[in-house]
Amino acid sequence: MHSGILCKEDNPTEPANTNPYGSGNGKITFYKTQSVAGGVDIRLNNVTKHDAYFWNSGAPGCDNESAVSFILPAGTYRADLSGQTVNCNYPAISLTEGQCKTVNYTPCIGTGGGGGGELTATGHTGKFSFSCNKLGTL
């Protein structure tokens, strides 16, 4: 005859969520590398934030509190940027759960020609190219 004790944990613990942005969320940070009079309003997912800073020494980190950032559920979003010398949009920015992306929208500044922006995702190699659509002349 074999006797023993069978133990069962009363309150099993769930594995810790390692996503710093919350379960199911990603983060996107917008920045520019030149000054813009009056700043820029950035509208994403029906929320508008004002960007008054510029970064002359490269992209801010995703955790920089001075940068304009949005934490949203993973998915595809449209961003509209407007200001005295900026009027453009990013029609489809894809956010991935647990990932932070940065968007350099400096090419949207000014009134001439087409525009372009660069979107970089942390944790991934390479850069993703996004176009910035100018919406008329200012």
Side-chain angles (χ1 to χ4, degrees):
M1 180 173 176
H2 181 4
S3 65
I5 299 174
L6 178 63
C7 296
K8 181 179 175 187
E9 188 176 357
D10 288 336
N11 295 314
T13 57
E14 294 291 322
N17 180 6
T18 59
N19 182 348
Y21 314 118
S23 181
N25 294 333
K27 184 175 184 178
I28 187 161
T29 299
F30 290 86
Y31 75 99
K32 60 188 176 307
T33 57
Q34 82 185 61
S35 180
V36 173
V40 177
D41 288 330
I42 301 169
R43 183 170 177 83
L44 184 72
N45 199 39
N46 295 318
V47 174
T48 301
K49 296 184 179 183
H50 187 75
D51 187 8
Y53 295 95
F54 73 97
W55 307 89
N56 58 6
S57 59
C62 280
D63 295 325
N64 189 311
E65 292 183 18
S66 296
V68 172
S69 298
F70 297 83
I71 295 175
L72 298 165
T76 302
Y77 297 91
R78 174 187 174 95
D80 295 298
L81 290 71
S82 61
Q84 290 180 9
T85 60
V86 173
N87 192 12
C88 64
N89 65 68
Y90 291 83
I93 298 175
S94 295
L95 288 182
T96 303
E97 180 180 3
Q99 185 179 71
C100 180
K101 295 183 178 183
T102 56
V103 175
N104 176 0
Y105 68 89
T106 305
C108 291
I109 297 170
T111 59
E118 185 173 88
L119 185 137
T120 303
T122 60
H124 293 272
T125 57
K127 297 194 181 220
F128 303 90
S129 176
F130 269 67
S131 63
C132 177
N133 300 321
K134 295 222 183 227
L135 301 175
T137 322
L138 298 175

PDB file of all heavy atoms in Angstrom, residues 33-55:
ATOM      1  N   THR A  33      12.268  66.646 -35.869  1.00  0.00           N
ATOM      2  CA  THR A  33      13.647  67.053 -35.599  1.00  0.00           C
ATOM      3  C   THR A  33      13.908  68.511 -35.950  1.00  0.00           C
ATOM      4  O   THR A  33      15.057  68.921 -36.040  1.00  0.00           O
ATOM      5  CB  THR A  33      14.644  66.147 -36.356  1.00  0.00           C
ATOM      6  OG1 THR A  33      14.352  66.207 -37.751  1.00  0.00           O
ATOM      7  CG2 THR A  33      14.558  64.711 -35.866  1.00  0.00           C
ATOM      8  N   GLN A  34      12.858  69.278 -36.164  1.00  0.00           N
ATOM      9  CA  GLN A  34      13.022  70.715 -36.358  1.00  0.00           C
ATOM     10  C   GLN A  34      11.860  71.453 -35.707  1.00  0.00           C
ATOM     11  O   GLN A  34      10.775  70.902 -35.548  1.00  0.00           O
ATOM     12  CB  GLN A  34      13.184  71.085 -37.834  1.00  0.00           C
ATOM     13  CG  GLN A  34      11.921  71.197 -38.641  1.00  0.00           C
ATOM     14  CD  GLN A  34      12.203  71.454 -40.114  1.00  0.00           C
ATOM     15  OE1 GLN A  34      12.841  70.655 -40.771  1.00  0.00           O
ATOM     16  NE2 GLN A  34      11.718  72.554 -40.632  1.00  0.00           N
ATOM     17  N   SER A  35      12.122  72.678 -35.326  1.00  0.00           N
ATOM     18  CA  SER A  35      11.132  73.491 -34.645  1.00  0.00           C
ATOM     19  C   SER A  35      10.012  73.887 -35.603  1.00  0.00           C
ATOM     20  O   SER A  35      10.237  74.104 -36.787  1.00  0.00           O
ATOM     21  CB  SER A  35      11.820  74.745 -34.096  1.00  0.00           C
ATOM     22  OG  SER A  35      10.892  75.550 -33.428  1.00  0.00           O
ATOM     23  N   VAL A  36       8.808  73.981 -35.060  1.00  0.00           N
ATOM     24  CA  VAL A  36       7.636  74.394 -35.831  1.00  0.00           C
ATOM     25  C   VAL A  36       6.914  75.462 -35.021  1.00  0.00           C
ATOM     26  O   VAL A  36       6.555  75.231 -33.863  1.00  0.00           O
ATOM     27  CB  VAL A  36       6.692  73.199 -36.091  1.00  0.00           C
ATOM     28  CG1 VAL A  36       5.408  73.664 -36.733  1.00  0.00           C
ATOM     29  CG2 VAL A  36       7.356  72.145 -36.933  1.00  0.00           C
ATOM     30  N   ALA A  37       6.686  76.614 -35.638  1.00  0.00           N
ATOM     31  CA  ALA A  37       5.967  77.694 -34.954  1.00  0.00           C
ATOM     32  C   ALA A  37       4.582  77.218 -34.538  1.00  0.00           C
ATOM     33  O   ALA A  37       3.834  76.659 -35.344  1.00  0.00           O
ATOM     34  CB  ALA A  37       5.857  78.914 -35.868  1.00  0.00           C
ATOM     35  N   GLY A  38       4.249  77.402 -33.284  1.00  0.00           N
ATOM     36  CA  GLY A  38       2.919  77.036 -32.805  1.00  0.00           C
ATOM     37  C   GLY A  38       2.743  75.566 -32.484  1.00  0.00           C
ATOM     38  O   GLY A  38       1.695  75.161 -31.993  1.00  0.00           O
ATOM     39  N   GLY A  39       3.718  74.735 -32.785  1.00  0.00           N
ATOM     40  CA  GLY A  39       3.606  73.311 -32.515  1.00  0.00           C
ATOM     41  C   GLY A  39       2.695  72.588 -33.487  1.00  0.00           C
ATOM     42  O   GLY A  39       2.247  73.147 -34.488  1.00  0.00           O
ATOM     43  N   VAL A  40       2.410  71.343 -33.181  1.00  0.00           N
ATOM     44  CA  VAL A  40       1.623  70.481 -34.072  1.00  0.00           C
ATOM     45  C   VAL A  40       0.596  69.717 -33.237  1.00  0.00           C
ATOM     46  O   VAL A  40       0.921  69.185 -32.173  1.00  0.00           O
ATOM     47  CB  VAL A  40       2.543  69.482 -34.813  1.00  0.00           C
ATOM     48  CG1 VAL A  40       1.732  68.524 -35.679  1.00  0.00           C
ATOM     49  CG2 VAL A  40       3.563  70.227 -35.658  1.00  0.00           C
ATOM     50  N   ASP A  41      -0.632  69.666 -33.734  1.00  0.00           N
ATOM     51  CA  ASP A  41      -1.662  68.835 -33.117  1.00  0.00           C
ATOM     52  C   ASP A  41      -1.667  67.482 -33.813  1.00  0.00           C
ATOM     53  O   ASP A  41      -1.693  67.413 -35.047  1.00  0.00           O
ATOM     54  CB  ASP A  41      -3.041  69.483 -33.237  1.00  0.00           C
ATOM     55  CG  ASP A  41      -3.193  70.692 -32.329  1.00  0.00           C
ATOM     56  OD1 ASP A  41      -2.551  70.708 -31.252  1.00  0.00           O
ATOM     57  OD2 ASP A  41      -3.939  71.615 -32.696  1.00  0.00           O
ATOM     58  N   ILE A  42      -1.662  66.430 -33.015  1.00  0.00           N
ATOM     59  CA  ILE A  42      -1.659  65.065 -33.542  1.00  0.00           C
ATOM     60  C   ILE A  42      -2.932  64.390 -33.062  1.00  0.00           C
ATOM     61  O   ILE A  42      -3.186  64.288 -31.858  1.00  0.00           O
ATOM     62  CB  ILE A  42      -0.411  64.296 -33.063  1.00  0.00           C
ATOM     63  CG1 ILE A  42       0.843  65.027 -33.540  1.00  0.00           C
ATOM     64  CG2 ILE A  42      -0.461  62.862 -33.558  1.00  0.00           C
ATOM     65  CD1 ILE A  42       2.122  64.524 -32.919  1.00  0.00           C
ATOM     66  N   ARG A  43      -3.750  63.952 -34.019  1.00  0.00           N
ATOM     67  CA  ARG A  43      -5.027  63.313 -33.701  1.00  0.00           C
ATOM     68  C   ARG A  43      -4.960  61.845 -34.101  1.00  0.00           C
ATOM     69  O   ARG A  43      -4.674  61.503 -35.249  1.00  0.00           O
ATOM     70  CB  ARG A  43      -6.172  64.011 -34.430  1.00  0.00           C
ATOM     71  CG  ARG A  43      -7.539  63.451 -34.084  1.00  0.00           C
ATOM     72  CD  ARG A  43      -8.640  64.349 -34.662  1.00  0.00           C
ATOM     73  NE  ARG A  43      -9.958  63.827 -34.427  1.00  0.00           N
ATOM     74  CZ  ARG A  43     -10.646  63.989 -33.298  1.00  0.00           C
ATOM     75  NH1 ARG A  43     -10.118  64.647 -32.306  1.00  0.00           N
ATOM     76  NH2 ARG A  43     -11.863  63.487 -33.181  1.00  0.00           N
ATOM     77  N   LEU A  44      -5.235  60.992 -33.127  1.00  0.00           N
ATOM     78  CA  LEU A  44      -5.204  59.545 -33.346  1.00  0.00           C
ATOM     79  C   LEU A  44      -6.306  58.922 -32.497  1.00  0.00           C
ATOM     80  O   LEU A  44      -6.396  59.204 -31.297  1.00  0.00           O
ATOM     81  CB  LEU A  44      -3.824  58.996 -32.950  1.00  0.00           C
ATOM     82  CG  LEU A  44      -3.560  57.522 -33.180  1.00  0.00           C
ATOM     83  CD1 LEU A  44      -3.401  57.248 -34.677  1.00  0.00           C
ATOM     84  CD2 LEU A  44      -2.282  57.104 -32.472  1.00  0.00           C
ATOM     85  N   ASN A  45      -7.153  58.126 -33.096  1.00  0.00           N
ATOM     86  CA  ASN A  45      -8.225  57.429 -32.388  1.00  0.00           C
ATOM     87  C   ASN A  45      -9.118  58.406 -31.606  1.00  0.00           C
ATOM     88  O   ASN A  45      -9.462  58.166 -30.456  1.00  0.00           O
ATOM     89  CB  ASN A  45      -7.628  56.361 -31.460  1.00  0.00           C
ATOM     90  CG  ASN A  45      -8.647  55.314 -31.066  1.00  0.00           C
ATOM     91  OD1 ASN A  45      -9.464  54.897 -31.867  1.00  0.00           O
ATOM     92  ND2 ASN A  45      -8.587  54.893 -29.826  1.00  0.00           N
ATOM     93  N   ASN A  46      -9.471  59.520 -32.241  1.00  0.00           N
ATOM     94  CA  ASN A  46     -10.359  60.541 -31.670  1.00  0.00           C
ATOM     95  C   ASN A  46      -9.791  61.253 -30.442  1.00  0.00           C
ATOM     96  O   ASN A  46     -10.536  61.825 -29.652  1.00  0.00           O
ATOM     97  CB  ASN A  46     -11.735  59.958 -31.337  1.00  0.00           C
ATOM     98  CG  ASN A  46     -12.465  59.525 -32.589  1.00  0.00           C
ATOM     99  OD1 ASN A  46     -12.443  60.221 -33.601  1.00  0.00           O
ATOM    100  ND2 ASN A  46     -13.086  58.363 -32.539  1.00  0.00           N
ATOM    101  N   VAL A  47      -8.470  61.211 -30.278  1.00  0.00           N
ATOM    102  CA  VAL A  47      -7.789  61.941 -29.207  1.00  0.00           C
ATOM    103  C   VAL A  47      -6.752  62.839 -29.860  1.00  0.00           C
ATOM    104  O   VAL A  47      -5.995  62.406 -30.724  1.00  0.00           O
ATOM    105  CB  VAL A  47      -7.101  60.969 -28.216  1.00  0.00           C
ATOM    106  CG1 VAL A  47      -6.274  61.733 -27.192  1.00  0.00           C
ATOM    107  CG2 VAL A  47      -8.138  60.094 -27.526  1.00  0.00           C
ATOM    108  N   THR A  48      -6.713  64.120 -29.450  1.00  0.00           N
ATOM    109  CA  THR A  48      -5.745  65.072 -29.989  1.00  0.00           C
ATOM    110  C   THR A  48      -4.760  65.463 -28.895  1.00  0.00           C
ATOM    111  O   THR A  48      -5.160  65.800 -27.784  1.00  0.00           O
ATOM    112  CB  THR A  48      -6.436  66.334 -30.535  1.00  0.00           C
ATOM    113  OG1 THR A  48      -7.350  65.932 -31.569  1.00  0.00           O
ATOM    114  CG2 THR A  48      -5.431  67.318 -31.108  1.00  0.00           C
ATOM    115  N   LYS A  49      -3.478  65.389 -29.239  1.00  0.00           N
ATOM    116  CA  LYS A  49      -2.406  65.819 -28.334  1.00  0.00           C
ATOM    117  C   LYS A  49      -1.551  66.844 -29.060  1.00  0.00           C
ATOM    118  O   LYS A  49      -1.407  66.788 -30.285  1.00  0.00           O
ATOM    119  CB  LYS A  49      -1.563  64.635 -27.885  1.00  0.00           C
ATOM    120  CG  LYS A  49      -2.356  63.619 -27.067  1.00  0.00           C
ATOM    121  CD  LYS A  49      -1.481  62.511 -26.547  1.00  0.00           C
ATOM    122  CE  LYS A  49      -2.283  61.523 -25.713  1.00  0.00           C
ATOM    123  NZ  LYS A  49      -1.424  60.477 -25.153  1.00  0.00           N
ATOM    124  N   HIS A  50      -0.976  67.778 -28.312  1.00  0.00           N
ATOM    125  CA  HIS A  50      -0.176  68.857 -28.894  1.00  0.00           C
ATOM    126  C   HIS A  50       1.312  68.569 -28.714  1.00  0.00           C
ATOM    127  O   HIS A  50       1.762  68.261 -27.612  1.00  0.00           O
ATOM    128  CB  HIS A  50      -0.539  70.189 -28.225  1.00  0.00           C
ATOM    129  CG  HIS A  50       0.107  71.360 -28.886  1.00  0.00           C
ATOM    130  ND1 HIS A  50      -0.321  71.850 -30.099  1.00  0.00           N
ATOM    131  CD2 HIS A  50       1.168  72.123 -28.506  1.00  0.00           C
ATOM    132  CE1 HIS A  50       0.441  72.885 -30.430  1.00  0.00           C
ATOM    133  NE2 HIS A  50       1.350  73.063 -29.482  1.00  0.00           N
ATOM    134  N   ASP A  51       2.062  68.675 -29.800  1.00  0.00           N
ATOM    135  CA  ASP A  51       3.515  68.460 -29.781  1.00  0.00           C
ATOM    136  C   ASP A  51       4.218  69.803 -29.919  1.00  0.00           C
ATOM    137  O   ASP A  51       4.158  70.431 -30.973  1.00  0.00           O
ATOM    138  CB  ASP A  51       3.923  67.529 -30.920  1.00  0.00           C
ATOM    139  CG  ASP A  51       5.387  67.129 -30.859  1.00  0.00           C
ATOM    140  OD1 ASP A  51       6.059  67.450 -29.867  1.00  0.00           O
ATOM    141  OD2 ASP A  51       5.849  66.488 -31.820  1.00  0.00           O
ATOM    142  N   ALA A  52       4.887  70.234 -28.859  1.00  0.00           N
ATOM    143  CA  ALA A  52       5.603  71.506 -28.875  1.00  0.00           C
ATOM    144  C   ALA A  52       7.119  71.314 -28.883  1.00  0.00           C
ATOM    145  O   ALA A  52       7.857  72.283 -28.919  1.00  0.00           O
ATOM    146  CB  ALA A  52       5.195  72.345 -27.663  1.00  0.00           C
ATOM    147  N   TYR A  53       7.583  70.076 -28.839  1.00  0.00           N
ATOM    148  CA  TYR A  53       9.015  69.792 -28.753  1.00  0.00           C
ATOM    149  C   TYR A  53       9.590  69.387 -30.097  1.00  0.00           C
ATOM    150  O   TYR A  53       8.879  68.898 -30.964  1.00  0.00           O
ATOM    151  CB  TYR A  53       9.275  68.650 -27.758  1.00  0.00           C
ATOM    152  CG  TYR A  53       8.925  69.002 -26.342  1.00  0.00           C
ATOM    153  CD1 TYR A  53       7.689  68.666 -25.818  1.00  0.00           C
ATOM    154  CD2 TYR A  53       9.832  69.663 -25.533  1.00  0.00           C
ATOM    155  CE1 TYR A  53       7.358  68.990 -24.514  1.00  0.00           C
ATOM    156  CE2 TYR A  53       9.521  69.991 -24.236  1.00  0.00           C
ATOM    157  CZ  TYR A  53       8.282  69.648 -23.728  1.00  0.00           C
ATOM    158  OH  TYR A  53       7.955  69.967 -22.441  1.00  0.00           O
ATOM    159  N   PHE A  54      10.914  69.568 -30.232  1.00  0.00           N
ATOM    160  CA  PHE A  54      11.614  68.949 -31.352  1.00  0.00           C
ATOM    161  C   PHE A  54      12.888  68.328 -30.809  1.00  0.00           C
ATOM    162  O   PHE A  54      13.410  68.718 -29.771  1.00  0.00           O
ATOM    163  CB  PHE A  54      11.873  69.933 -32.503  1.00  0.00           C
ATOM    164  CG  PHE A  54      12.938  70.965 -32.241  1.00  0.00           C
ATOM    165  CD1 PHE A  54      14.233  70.765 -32.695  1.00  0.00           C
ATOM    166  CD2 PHE A  54      12.647  72.138 -31.570  1.00  0.00           C
ATOM    167  CE1 PHE A  54      15.209  71.711 -32.465  1.00  0.00           C
ATOM    168  CE2 PHE A  54      13.610  73.094 -31.341  1.00  0.00           C
ATOM    169  CZ  PHE A  54      14.903  72.877 -31.786  1.00  0.00           C
ATOM    170  N   TRP A  55      13.373  67.324 -31.510  1.00  0.00           N
ATOM    171  CA  TRP A  55      14.492  66.507 -31.048  1.00  0.00           C
ATOM    172  C   TRP A  55      15.658  66.702 -32.004  1.00  0.00           C
ATOM    173  O   TRP A  55      15.639  66.196 -33.116  1.00  0.00           O
ATOM    174  CB  TRP A  55      14.065  65.044 -30.985  1.00  0.00           C
ATOM    175  CG  TRP A  55      12.814  64.891 -30.185  1.00  0.00           C
ATOM    176  CD1 TRP A  55      11.538  64.963 -30.646  1.00  0.00           C
ATOM    177  CD2 TRP A  55      12.719  64.731 -28.778  1.00  0.00           C
ATOM    178  NE1 TRP A  55      10.650  64.843 -29.619  1.00  0.00           N
ATOM    179  CE2 TRP A  55      11.347  64.702 -28.450  1.00  0.00           C
ATOM    180  CE3 TRP A  55      13.661  64.596 -27.752  1.00  0.00           C
ATOM    181  CZ2 TRP A  55      10.893  64.538 -27.148  1.00  0.00           C
ATOM    182  CZ3 TRP A  55      13.193  64.440 -26.458  1.00  0.00           C
ATOM    183  CH2 TRP A  55      11.842  64.413 -26.168  1.00  0.00           C
TER     184      TRP A  55
END
